Amino acid sequence: MTEMTETTPGWLSREELESTRARMPILYVDAVPVRVDDTGMVTRVGLLLRIGSDGTVSRALVSGRVLHYERVRDALLRHLEKDLGPVALPRIPASPQPFTVAEYFPTAGVTPYHDPRQHAVSLAYVVPVAGDCRPRQDALDLVWFTPEEAASPMVLGEMSGGQDVLLKQALAHVGRLP
Amino acid sequence: MTEMTETTPGWLSREELESTRARMPILYVDAVPVRVDDTGMVTRVGLLLRIGSDGTVSRALVSGRVLHYERVRDALLRHLEKDLGPVALPRIPASPQPFTVAEYFPTAGVTPYHDPRQHAVSLAYVVPVAGDCRPRQDALDLVWFTPEEAASPMVLGEMSGGQDVLLKQALAHVGRLP
Amino acid sequence: MTEMTETTPGWLSREELESTRARMPILYVDAVPVRVDDTGMVTRVGLLLRIGSDGTVSRALVSGRVLHYERVRDALLRHLEKDLGPVALPRIPASPQPFTVAEYFPTAGVTPYHDPRQHAVSLAYVVPVAGDCRPRQDALDLVWFTPEEAASPMVLGEMSGGQDVLLKQALAHVGRLP
Amino acid sequence: MTEMTETTPGWLSREELESTRARMPILYVDAVPVRVDDTGMVTRVGLLLRIGSDGTVSRALVSGRVLHYERVRDALLRHLEKDLGPVALPRIPASPQPFTVAEYFPTAGVTPYHDPRQHAVSLAYVVPVAGDCRPRQDALDLVWFTPEEAASPMVLGEMSGGQDVLLKQALAHVGRLP
C-alpha cells in the first residue's frame, strides 16, 4: 500500500496520522483496474509500477485511505483518478459490496496481507476503466497484463504486502484466475 | 418473465420447449437496468412496460432464457440489446456472481417468485446502461424511475411474478432501498 | 450503534476515542443474528431491545467497533458474544465478503445511515446463531421475529440510525424481504 | 461432475435426460465442503475421491443436478447428504448468492470448466460441515486438506473438468488462497 499522508488543511497532520495508526484500524480501499470487453469479461488487469521509500521496485494495486466524511465510493474515485489520471473514466461499482476485505496487519502472518506501518482494513473492488490511463504522482507506469500474465509467478513476485494474494482473489472473483 | 420461445433453427421448437419446461428447471437471467453517476451511485432504475398475452399491463425487468451453448454474460447482453435496443451500451458485470438467484416456481408461494409456465431459476444482475435505450419487440416503453419511485407501492404493484421482490433486492444490493 | 468505549488497558481512553472519532472513519461491524432451518433458510431474525442514553427505547442489530490488531471475524464474535451471551454459538461467515457496507455519517441524509457521534463504516454480515441467546450488558432483551414481522413498519420504526434500512438489506440478501 | 442420472419415477429417464442435455443448459450446484473454526475461518477443505466410468481416479467437489420443482438449497442439501452421509450436518448458506457461477461447456476452452456430456451451469457455494462425514455411493473417500494442501499442484492436478479452478475460486472467496 502506498504512502497516503495527506497535507490538505483539515486532514490529519503526519503526527496525528502516526498517532492514530498506532491505535485504530485504518480504513482503506483497494481497486483492481481492469479492461473488459462488451460482455463484461475481463481482458486486462492494470498494475502500477512504483518505487518505494526504500528504493525497491514493486507492482501495486490502486490503494489508499478513506478520509473523514468521505464516502467509500468517493475514496475509490479519488484514488483511481490520482493514480490513473483524470481521463481514466473508472466505472465505480454500483454496489458497495466489496469482493473481499483485506486486513493488513503490522505483524506478518496474521493474515495474508501485511503493512508494517499500520493495521489497515481495506475494502477491495474490481473497477473497469474505459478511458486513457496516465499514471502520475509517485506511480511511474501502468502496465496492462492479460489475466494469465498477471497471475504468473514473475508478476505476482513483484507485488508486496500480500497484494499478490489480493490480485489472485480479484481474478478468481471475475472468473479469470488461471 | 416474458415469453422467450425462439424460432431460430437449432434452438428448441415450441413443442420441445414445452416438453422440457415440464421436466427441468430452466435457466434464466434477470437484469435490472440502472443509470449511475460518476461515483457508481444508482440514480435511476429502468423498467419495461409490457402487455402480456392476456392483455394485462405490467412493468418488468429485462429477463430471458439462457440458450444451449450460450454463456451467461452473452445471454445478458442479448436480452438487454433485445429489450433496450442496440445502442443502450449495457455494462455487463465483470464478475459472474449474481446479487441473488430468483427461483420462479409454477406453484405460487414456494418462493416469492412465480411463473405459471415453468420452474425457472434466474441469475439476477444489476446492469448500468450508459447509452440511449429504445425498447423494441414486445416492450412498449422503458421508464426511468428514481430508486424512491421504483420502490413505491404503485410501481411495485404493477410488477408480476415476484419481480417486485427482485427489484427491491436489487435496490438493497446497491444501497438504494428506501 | 451502541457506545463501544473500551476501558481495557492498551485500548483507547475515552478522550482518545473522542479525538479520533473527530478525524477518521471508524471501522465497525454490524451483525444480523438469524435462526435458519436445515436448508439454510432464514426463519427468524433476532433484534436487541436497548435503552439509549437519552432514555429512548429502540431495537438494534449487534454492532460494535473493530479494535486495533483485531481481525474482523474476531470483532464479530466478540460483539455477538457480548450481546447474545456465551452460548449463542454464532456461525461467523467463512467469507469476509460482507453483504453490504453501511456508512454512518454524523450528518443525516448523506447516506441512509446516521450516527451523530461519528463517521463509522460498518461491514455488515448475516450470522446464523444456533445456541441459546441470553442478552447481557446494556441489551435488555432479544426478540426473534419472523422475516415478515421484522420487515413490518412497526418493528422497523423502532430502529434508529438507519438500521431499519440495513435490516431490510439483510432480509433482501437472504431472499426473505417480503 | 458426477453422473447424476436419477431413476426415481417422475424424474427424467436416461433417454429424456440425454435428449434434454443436447438442447438446454442444465442447472447444477457445486458445493465445497469445509471445516471452520469458531471465528468462521476455513481450516480444512473436503475433497471426494472418485473413480470415473473410464477408471480414472480423481478428486471432486460435491456436485449435482437441480431437479424439477426442487429449490437450489434443497438440491445442495440432497447432494451433500448423498456424498457425505446423513450426519455431516452441512450448514447450507442463508443467502442464495453463490460465490461464483461455473459454466461447464462440452467444448473445452470456452470457459475454464468442461463437461463433455453437457452444457451445465452450476451455482457454487462454500458449505461448512460440522458433523461426521461418511462418503457413500460412488464416492470412495473424503479427505480433509488444509487450504495450502488443497491449493497445491498435486491435489489440483487430481481434479478434472475445471474443478481445480473452482476450488481455487472458493479458497479465494474465503480468504484462504495461498
Side-chain angles (χ1 to χ4, degrees):
Chain A
M1 303 170 83
T2 53
E3 181 58 48
M4 283 292 115
T5 308
E6 313 287 356
T7 55
T8 307
W11 290 348
L12 296 186
S13 70
R14 175 175 289 272
E15 291 72 24
E16 287 170 324
L17 182 58
E18 291 308 318
S19 163
T20 303
R21 275 175 169 164
R23 300 182 303 190
M24 301 273 292
I26 309 295
L27 185 65
Y28 268 68
V29 287
D30 275 310
V32 183
V34 298
R35 298 287 197 196
V36 297
D37 67 17
D38 284 352
T39 68
M41 174 76 83
V42 170
T43 56
R44 290 289 187 286
V45 177
L47 295 177
L48 298 166
L49 184 68
R50 289 187 190 277
I51 297 194
S53 55
D54 60 348
T56 55
V57 173
S58 66
R59 300 202 186 270
L61 305 175
V62 173
S63 180
R65 199 154 60 82
V66 180
L67 300 178
H68 197 217
Y69 286 177
E70 187 180 40
R71 291 183 311 166
V72 168
R73 53 178 75 251
D74 291 317
L76 266 176
L77 183 59
R78 178 172 59 85
H79 288 294
L80 283 159
E81 291 192 337
K82 176 172 60 61
D83 281 347
L84 304 187
V87 292
L89 303 179
R91 298 172 179 173
I92 310 294
S95 170
Q97 184 181 41
F99 71 85
T100 200
V101 175
E103 305 180 66
Y104 295 82
F105 277 77
T107 307
V110 179
T111 68
Y113 320 102
H114 177 229
D115 186 339
R117 298 168 305 159
Q118 63 190 341
H119 173 202
V121 176
S122 185
L123 311 179
Y125 300 90
V126 172
V127 182
V129 295
D132 287 333
C133 294
R134 301 170 189 164
R136 38 180 204 172
Q137 282 208 0
D138 55 348
L140 296 185
D141 199 5
L142 177 79
V143 182
W144 292 104
F145 295 98
T146 66
E148 292 72 23
E149 292 167 345
S152 69
M154 197 187 71
V155 171
L156 292 176
E158 291 169 344
M159 306 187 78
S160 61
Q163 287 203 339
D164 55 331
V165 173
L166 193 55
L167 173 57
K168 286 193 287 184
Q169 288 175 284
L171 289 170
H173 179 65
V174 297
R176 297 306 309 269
L177 185 67
Chain B
M1 301 170 84
T2 54
E3 180 58 47
M4 284 293 114
T5 308
E6 313 287 357
T7 55
T8 306
W11 290 349
L12 296 187
S13 71
R14 174 175 289 273
E15 291 72 24
E16 288 170 324
L17 182 56
E18 291 310 317
S19 163
T20 304
R21 275 175 170 164
R23 300 182 304 191
M24 300 274 291
I26 309 295
L27 185 65
Y28 268 68
V29 287
D30 275 310
V32 183
V34 298
R35 298 286 196 195
V36 297
D37 67 16
D38 284 352
T39 68
M41 175 77 81
V42 169
T43 56
R44 290 288 188 286
V45 177
L47 295 178
L48 297 166
L49 185 68
R50 289 186 189 278
I51 296 193
S53 55
D54 60 349
T56 56
V57 173
S58 66
R59 298 200 187 272
L61 305 176
V62 173
S63 181
R65 197 156 61 84
V66 180
L67 300 178
H68 197 216
Y69 287 177
E70 186 180 41
R71 293 184 308 167
V72 168
R73 52 178 73 254
D74 291 318
L76 267 176
L77 183 58
R78 178 172 58 84
H79 288 293
L80 284 159
E81 290 191 339
K82 177 174 58 62
D83 282 346
L84 304 186
V87 292
L89 303 179
R91 298 172 179 173
I92 310 295
S95 170
Q97 185 181 40
F99 71 85
T100 200
V101 176
E103 304 179 68
Y104 295 82
F105 277 77
T107 308
V110 179
T111 69
Y113 320 102
H114 177 228
D115 186 339
R117 298 168 305 159
Q118 62 190 341
H119 173 202
V121 176
S122 183
L123 310 179
Y125 299 89
V126 173
V127 182
V129 295
D132 287 333
C133 294
R134 301 169 190 164
R136 37 181 205 171
Q137 283 208 358
D138 56 347
L140 297 185
D141 199 5
L142 177 80
V143 182
W144 292 104
F145 295 98
T146 65
E148 292 73 24
E149 291 166 347
S152 69
M154 197 186 72
V155 172
L156 292 176
E158 292 169 344
M159 306 187 78
S160 62
Q163 287 202 340
D164 55 331
V165 172
L166 193 55
L167 173 57
K168 286 193 286 184
Q169 287 174 286
L171 289 170
H173 180 64
V174 297
R176 296 308 306 269
L177 185 67
Chain C
M1 302 169 83
T2 53
E3 180 59 48
M4 284 293 115
T5 308
E6 313 287 357
T7 54
T8 307
W11 289 348
L12 296 187
S13 70
R14 174 174 289 273
E15 291 72 23
E16 287 170 324
L17 181 57
E18 292 308 318
S19 163
T20 303
R21 276 176 168 162
R23 299 182 303 189
M24 300 275 290
I26 309 296
L27 185 66
Y28 267 68
V29 287
D30 275 310
V32 182
V34 297
R35 297 287 197 195
V36 296
D37 67 16
D38 284 353
T39 69
M41 175 76 83
V42 169
T43 56
R44 290 289 188 284
V45 177
L47 295 177
L48 298 166
L49 184 68
R50 289 187 189 278
I51 296 195
S53 55
D54 60 348
T56 56
V57 173
S58 66
R59 298 202 187 271
L61 305 176
V62 173
S63 181
R65 198 154 62 82
V66 180
L67 300 178
H68 198 216
Y69 286 176
E70 186 181 40
R71 293 184 309 166
V72 168
R73 51 178 74 253
D74 291 318
L76 266 176
L77 183 59
R78 178 171 58 84
H79 288 293
L80 283 159
E81 290 192 338
K82 177 172 59 61
D83 282 347
L84 304 187
V87 292
L89 303 179
R91 297 173 180 172
I92 309 294
S95 170
Q97 185 182 40
F99 70 84
T100 200
V101 176
E103 305 179 66
Y104 295 82
F105 276 78
T107 308
V110 179
T111 69
Y113 321 102
H114 176 227
D115 186 339
R117 298 168 305 160
Q118 63 190 342
H119 173 202
V121 176
S122 184
L123 311 179
Y125 300 89
V126 172
V127 182
V129 295
D132 287 333
C133 294
R134 302 169 189 164
R136 37 181 205 171
Q137 282 209 359
D138 54 349
L140 297 184
D141 199 5
L142 177 80
V143 182
W144 292 104
F145 295 98
T146 65
E148 292 71 24
E149 292 167 347
S152 68
M154 196 186 72
V155 171
L156 292 176
E158 291 169 345
M159 306 186 77
S160 61
Q163 287 202 341
D164 55 332
V165 172
L166 193 56
L167 173 57
K168 286 192 287 184
Q169 288 175 286
L171 289 170
H173 180 66
V174 297
R176 297 307 308 269
L177 185 67
Chain D
M1 302 170 83
T2 54
E3 182 58 49
M4 285 293 115
T5 307
E6 313 287 357
T7 55
T8 307
W11 289 347
L12 296 187
S13 70
R14 175 175 287 274
E15 292 71 23
E16 287 170 324
L17 181 58
E18 291 310 316
S19 163
T20 303
R21 275 176 170 163
R23 300 183 303 190
M24 301 273 292
I26 309 296
L27 184 65
Y28 268 68
V29 287
D30 275 310
V32 183
V34 297
R35 297 286 197 197
V36 297
D37 67 16
D38 285 351
T39 69
M41 175 76 83
V42 169
T43 57
R44 290 288 188 285
V45 178
L47 295 178
L48 297 166
L49 185 68
R50 289 188 190 278
I51 296 194
S53 55
D54 60 348
T56 55
V57 173
S58 67
R59 299 202 186 270
L61 305 176
V62 173
S63 180
R65 199 154 60 83
V66 180
L67 301 177
H68 197 218
Y69 287 176
E70 186 180 41
R71 293 183 309 166
V72 168
R73 53 177 73 252
D74 291 318
L76 266 177
L77 183 59
R78 178 172 58 85
H79 288 293
L80 283 159
E81 290 191 339
K82 176 172 60 62
D83 281 347
L84 304 187
V87 292
L89 303 179
R91 298 173 178 172
I92 310 294
S95 170
Q97 184 181 41
F99 71 85
T100 200
V101 175
E103 305 179 67
Y104 295 81
F105 276 78
T107 308
V110 179
T111 68
Y113 321 102
H114 176 229
D115 186 339
R117 299 168 305 159
Q118 62 190 344
H119 173 202
V121 176
S122 185
L123 311 179
Y125 300 90
V126 173
V127 182
V129 295
D132 287 334
C133 295
R134 300 169 190 164
R136 36 181 205 171
Q137 283 209 358
D138 54 348
L140 296 185
D141 199 6
L142 177 80
V143 182
W144 292 104
F145 295 98
T146 65
E148 292 72 23
E149 292 166 346
S152 69
M154 197 187 71
V155 172
L156 292 176
E158 291 169 344
M159 305 187 77
S160 61
Q163 287 202 339
D164 56 330
V165 173
L166 193 55
L167 173 57
K168 286 193 286 183
Q169 287 175 285
L171 289 170
H173 179 66
V174 298
R176 296 308 307 269
L177 185 67

